[in-house]
């Protein structure tokens, strides 16, 4: 870890020219005393770093000093900077490593491209935290110690013990063969097998993890994208699926289709509304989806769904008929 921090310190000085010990401490997330020790270590190793006294002083490198990093052209560095703005590194516990890597990417650019690539990257935003309706994407938190064990087992190809809290179940210890890690809309998943059967575990539900020395039973090569698609398909086609006949305002058609598992049939009514036959994961999913559309949709069948929506609306109306308590 200290070697990485020393490299990051040198790259910060190369990029900014001169920085105070306090500024370096903030960037590296260490104490100023640690920064001073690192400066001494760099000097002892022959790196020409010197201190400038005074109000605007700080630490700097002698002019002309350069690190031995492979150069990148403008588009290559821009692609890496944009990729680095995505949330995968945070989901997999690699946020600090990403910040250090981005410093190295910028430093590896030829002088003529360095400022333009960094400026261009600031003008491109990937996956913002909120959409146009201010709906916030909440990334799930996974303890660093847990994520580090999971990540090491996945990359080393070792078996993994996890203390997992499945929905509506008491936490249990499981030994799995990890295959890969996937992040989707701020949520992280571990793809694994257990006793030869495919398993998918939500990272935020792993309470503790331990990498084992025993090699994992898994293929040498894996198409992670294909594996995720196959598991997604099995998830969508399993469970207590229900099919619903619904009338919907055309302006909200995409909202309905976007929440359903599948649209099985669709036709226009005489009044311009759409009559659609759609499939949901289970009754709770169907009720939730139709409730979001309020008066812009009407469930025609099955009857239990009409009854559930009517009862929910009646309960809301009754609550608002009463005067609020002050």
């Amino acid at each position: 870890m200290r070697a990485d921090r020393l490299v990051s310190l040198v790259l910060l000085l190369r990029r900014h020219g001169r920085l105070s010990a306090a500024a370096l401490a903030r960037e590296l997330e260490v104490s100023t005393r640690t920064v001073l020790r690192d400066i001494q270590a760099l000097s002892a190793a022959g790196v020409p770093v010197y201190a400038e006294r005074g109000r605007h002083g700080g630490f700097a490198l002698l002019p002309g000093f350069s690190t031995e990093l492979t150069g990148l052209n403008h588009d290559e560095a821009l692609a890496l900077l944009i990729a680095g703005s995505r949330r995968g590194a945070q989901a997999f516990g690699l946020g600090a490593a990403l910040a250090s890597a981005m410093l190295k990417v910028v430093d590896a650019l030829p002088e003529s491209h360095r400022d333009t690539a960094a400026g261009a990257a600031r003008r491109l935003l990937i996956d913002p935290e909120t959409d146009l309706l201010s709906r916030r994407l909440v990334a799930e938190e996974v303890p660093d110690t847990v994520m580090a064990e999971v990540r090491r087992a996945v990359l080393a190809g070792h078996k993994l013990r996890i203390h997992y809290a499945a929905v509506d179940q008491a936490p249990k210890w499981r030994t799995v063969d990890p295959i890969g890690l996937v992040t989707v809309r701020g949520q992280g998943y571990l793809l694994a097998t257990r006793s030869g059967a495919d398993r998918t575990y939500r990272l935020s539900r792993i309470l503790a993890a331990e990498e084992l020395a025993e090699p994992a039973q898994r293929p040498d090569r894996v198409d992670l994208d294909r594996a995720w698609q196959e598991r997604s398909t099995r998830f969508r086609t399993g469970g207590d699926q229900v099919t619903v006949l619904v009338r919907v305002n055309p302006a909200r058609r995409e909202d309905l289709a976007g929440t359903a598992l599948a649209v099985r049939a669709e036709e226009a009514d005489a009044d311009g509304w759409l009559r659609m036959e759609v499939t949901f994961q289970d009754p709770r999913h169907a009720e939730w989806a139709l409730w979001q559309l309020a008066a812009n949709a009407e469930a025609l069948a099955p009857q239990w769904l009409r009854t559930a929506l009517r009862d929910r609306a009646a309960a809301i109306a009754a609550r608002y008929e009463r005067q609020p308590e002050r």
Side-chain angles (χ1 to χ4, degrees), residues 1-10 12-13 21 24-25 27-50 59 61:
M1 286 296 295
R2 190 188 188 197
D4 290 341
R5 191 175 67 241
L6 292 176
V7 172
S8 294
L9 193 157
V10 171
L12 284 168
L13 293 178
L24 287 168
E27 291 286 346
L28 299 172
E29 298 182 349
V30 297
S31 67
T32 54
R33 180 174 297 181
T34 297
V35 167
L36 295 177
R37 285 200 299 264
D38 288 348
I39 292 292
Q40 292 178 345
L42 288 172
S43 296
V47 177
V49 58
Y50 66 97
F59 294 100
L61 296 168

Side-chain angles (χ1 to χ4, degrees), residues 89-286:
Q90 300 297 333
F92 298 148
L94 293 170
L98 173 64
S100 175
M102 290 302 100
L103 279 174
K104 296 176 184 179
V105 168
V106 173
D107 191 82
L109 280 172
E111 187 71 32
S112 59
H113 294 324
R114 189 173 300 152
D115 293 336
T116 55
R122 286 192 290 269
R123 296 185 180 275
L124 302 173
L125 177 62
I126 308 297
D127 292 339
E129 291 187 355
T130 60
D131 61 14
L132 289 175
L133 298 179
S134 296
R135 293 175 297 196
R136 188 176 181 83
L137 174 64
V138 180
E140 296 180 327
E141 296 292 331
V142 182
D144 290 342
T145 53
V146 171
M147 195 63 249
E149 288 291 311
V150 173
R151 191 173 64 245
R152 280 198 295 265
V154 169
L155 299 181
H158 291 166
K159 286 185 178 292
L160 178 70
R161 285 187 76 230
I162 57 174
H163 196 213
Y164 190 73
V167 179
D168 298 328
Q169 296 182 24
K172 297 179 181 178
W173 283 98
R174 298 167 167 86
T175 298
V176 302
D177 296 296
I179 293 175
L181 293 168
V182 177
T183 177
V184 181
R185 302 180 68 82
Q187 296 176 352
Y189 299 88
L190 167 67
L191 272 58
T193 61
R194 185 175 174 221
S195 300
D198 288 346
R199 294 288 185 268
T200 303
Y201 300 100
R202 195 127 156 201
L203 292 178
S204 61
R205 293 180 183 150
I206 300 178
L207 307 180
E210 178 188 3
E211 178 193 6
L212 304 180
E214 184 181 354
Q217 299 299 312
R218 65 181 191 180
D220 293 334
R221 300 178 63 86
V222 62
D223 185 339
L224 205 57
D225 184 63
R226 181 177 178 181
W228 176 255
Q229 293 296 332
E230 290 175 348
R231 295 184 187 206
S232 298
T233 299
R234 287 198 296 270
F235 175 80
R236 290 194 303 269
T237 57
D240 302 322
Q241 291 187 9
V242 295
T243 298
V244 174
L245 181 61
V246 59
R247 272 173 37 89
V248 63
N249 185 328
R252 302 298 301 275
R253 189 265 180 202
E254 294 305 318
D255 293 328
L256 176 62
T259 57
L261 295 181
V263 176
R264 297 185 177 277
E266 180 177 349
E267 62 180 1
D269 275 350
D271 61 358
W273 275 41
L274 299 175
R275 186 177 293 253
M276 300 173 64
E277 185 178 335
V278 293
T279 300
F280 294 100
Q281 183 70 38
D282 51 35
R284 184 179 178 183
H285 180 200

